[in-house]
Amino acid sequence: MATNARKQPPAIALKQTNKEIIKSSLTDAFAGAAAGALAKTVVAPIERVKLLIQLQKSIQNAQLNPASASVTKDVTASTIIASSKSSPTINISGSAWNVARTVYNEEGMLAFWRGNTPNVIRQGGAAALNFMLMDWYKSAIAPILNATLALPSKRAHEDRKKRRKIISSILSGGLAGGTTTTFLYPIEFMRTRLALDLGSSSADGCKRIYPRGMRDVFCTIWKTDGWRGMYQGYGIALSGVVLYRALHLGGYDACKTELLHRRRKENTRIDSHATMTMGERFMIAQTVSIVAGTICYPIDSVRRRLMMQAGQPCATRLYSNSIHAFRRIFMEEGIKGFYLGIGPNLMRSFGGALLLVAYDGFKEW
């Protein structure tokens, strides 16, 4: 009986630990979703301008080849012809300011948030899954990395421990991003198509191809290409998002770890649970967002161009795959072709920084 009484406390402690893990995961998910939805809504106008500049070649190709538009039983040929006749009147060339002014004049203020609903759904879900899965992957990777501490090394134990924390942050960030992209890619696909849907719903304006929003995009692409159409550009997107999330989420976490480690090393009286100010977090987040966004921008450009080909006949598609897209863009447009819209994207990095800082704030709150 005495033996059984001694074994009871560990069982209770284990239950408490499991409850704490579940609570922590739910907190991460809620904080990530709230932060993601807030950040994306704030920068939605900048993001739409960025997409219009980034994909102007795809839009021009669709205008020159109206027959390549997605034709289904619900989207008639007359609708496509009307759209192709009216689309060229909307000029999206020039600077970001010119594009923004054109969107406002032709489509109105609310057009800057076109496609924001799937964007909020995707980003809210992505942020929730990214942060939740990142912590889960970090917990899964930690025992493997900690086991390597037993190997002989000339480095100090604290330095080796810190290095493994950084590696864990980068690996878990990349894996979380890849898993999230696989589940939410169709929503990202619909968001891109809606953002590039030029025109208005008024009778005298240019007709939109997808006036009913997400439902039109889904039905149109599903009937022409099936589920494969919703995953156009998925391969390059997966590699790109793993790299981006590793740099973005992992880099932010790694920089915070490094800064706090240096502070504790310089001043041993600093509490082990010490935190940084909001200003310091935002500076780190902004730097990480700019670096990650610039490095991964060519991959983002290619995947979005592949997205825009869904629903088109194979004969009219500009790119057969991601490698062909990289090669053709480089030969016809040079390096500049990969960085169309990079200016608004750097401004949009404010949203990425806001996402990271807001997540920390929501989580602590």
Side-chain angles (χ1 to χ4, degrees):
M1 292 293 292
T3 307
N4 291 336
R6 286 173 192 161
K7 288 182 180 179
Q8 193 69 16
I12 295 170
L14 182 62
K15 284 183 181 178
Q16 290 175 344
T17 303
N18 288 336
K19 284 182 179 179
E20 287 173 2
I21 291 172
I22 294 171
K23 184 180 178 181
S24 177
S25 296
L26 291 174
T27 302
D28 288 342
F30 173 77
L38 172 65
K40 282 298 178 183
T41 301
V42 169
V43 299
I46 300 173
E47 189 160 0
R48 190 175 183 221
V49 171
K50 169 250 181 185
L51 284 172
L52 288 170
I53 297 173
Q54 184 182 30
L55 296 173
Q56 57 186 278
K57 295 290 182 182
S58 296
I59 296 172
Q60 290 168 5
N61 180 59
Q63 291 172 355
L64 291 172
N65 301 283
S68 68
S70 305
V71 181
T72 68
K73 292 179 182 178
D74 293 337
V75 182
T76 63
S78 60
T79 304
I80 300 300
I81 292 170
S83 176
S84 66
K85 286 180 179 179
S86 58
S87 294
T89 61
I90 300 180
N91 183 17
I92 58 165
S93 61
S95 65
W97 173 252
N98 288 336
V99 173
R101 187 170 54 187
T102 301
V103 170
Y104 177 75
N105 292 335
E106 298 288 341
E107 302 176 331
M109 178 62 74
L110 291 178
F112 286 106
W113 279 269
R114 183 171 296 168
N116 191 53
T117 300
N119 200 30
V120 167
I121 295 171
R122 183 196 66 83
Q123 187 59 34
L129 288 172
N130 273 325
F131 286 114
M132 184 173 67
L133 289 173
M134 183 176 175
D135 288 344
W136 187 85
Y137 278 124
K138 198 183 289 184
S139 300
I141 292 170
I144 300 171
L145 293 177
N146 289 336
T148 62
L149 289 172
L151 298 174
S153 176
K154 294 181 180 179
R155 293 192 182 95
H157 182 74
E158 283 299 317
D159 289 340
R160 295 178 67 200
K161 208 170 176 182
K162 180 200 70 175
R163 185 183 292 268
R164 277 152 183 78
K165 279 187 178 180
I166 293 173
I167 293 172
S168 174
S169 296
I170 294 172
L171 285 177
S172 58
L175 289 170
T179 305
T180 301
T181 296
T182 302
F183 286 109
L184 300 177
Y185 194 78
I187 300 177
E188 167 69 4
F189 173 85
M190 287 187 280
R191 183 265 182 280
T192 301
R193 297 300 287 252
L194 286 174
L196 274 291
D197 187 17
L198 295 169
S200 63
S201 301
S202 60
D204 56 343
C206 302
K207 299 295 183 182
R208 293 178 56 188
I209 297 176
Y210 309 115
R212 295 181 298 174
M214 293 174 65
R215 182 171 55 175
D216 275 354
V217 177
F218 179 81
C219 293
T220 301
I221 301 303
W222 184 266
K223 288 182 179 179
T224 54
D225 286 0
W227 68 269
R228 292 173 64 89
M230 307 297 291
Y231 278 87
Q232 279 286 327
Y234 168 75
I236 188 68
L238 185 62
S239 58
V241 80
V242 168
L243 176 61
Y244 179 78
R245 293 300 177 188
L247 294 172
H248 194 231
L249 294 179
Y252 177 66
D253 202 39
C255 287
K256 287 197 304 180
T257 301
E258 176 66 20
L259 180 61
L260 289 174
H261 175 77
R262 287 180 179 275
R263 282 185 178 174
R264 294 189 194 105
K265 201 171 182 180
E266 292 171 2
N267 190 350
T268 54
R269 291 180 297 175
I270 293 180
D271 183 17
S272 60
H273 299 289
T275 58
M276 298 182 296
T277 65
M278 196 64 71
E280 289 172 332
R281 290 179 185 179
F282 188 79
M283 285 182 64
I284 292 174
Q286 185 65 64
T287 303
V288 167
S289 295
I290 290 173
V291 172
T294 303
I295 291 174
C296 300
Y297 198 77
I299 298 175
D300 183 64
S301 293
V302 169
R303 79 173 173 102
R304 291 192 187 276
R305 292 201 190 194
L306 292 173
M307 277 182 179
M308 294 303 295
Q309 295 187 146
Q312 297 178 4
C314 294
T316 62
R317 296 186 181 185
L318 291 175
Y319 317 110
S320 55
N321 53 53
S322 57
I323 296 175
H324 179 242
F326 270 109
R327 188 184 307 158
R328 182 164 182 175
I329 293 170
F330 180 74
M331 290 180 67
E332 294 181 358
E333 304 171 43
I335 295 294
K336 184 181 177 181
F338 293 109
Y339 285 94
L340 293 172
I342 187 64
N345 191 65
L346 292 177
M347 293 176 62
R348 190 178 66 99
S349 66
F350 171 81
L354 181 64
L355 168 64
L356 294 173
V357 176
Y359 168 72
D360 277 348
F362 279 122
K363 192 173 180 182
E364 289 177 3
W365 179 73

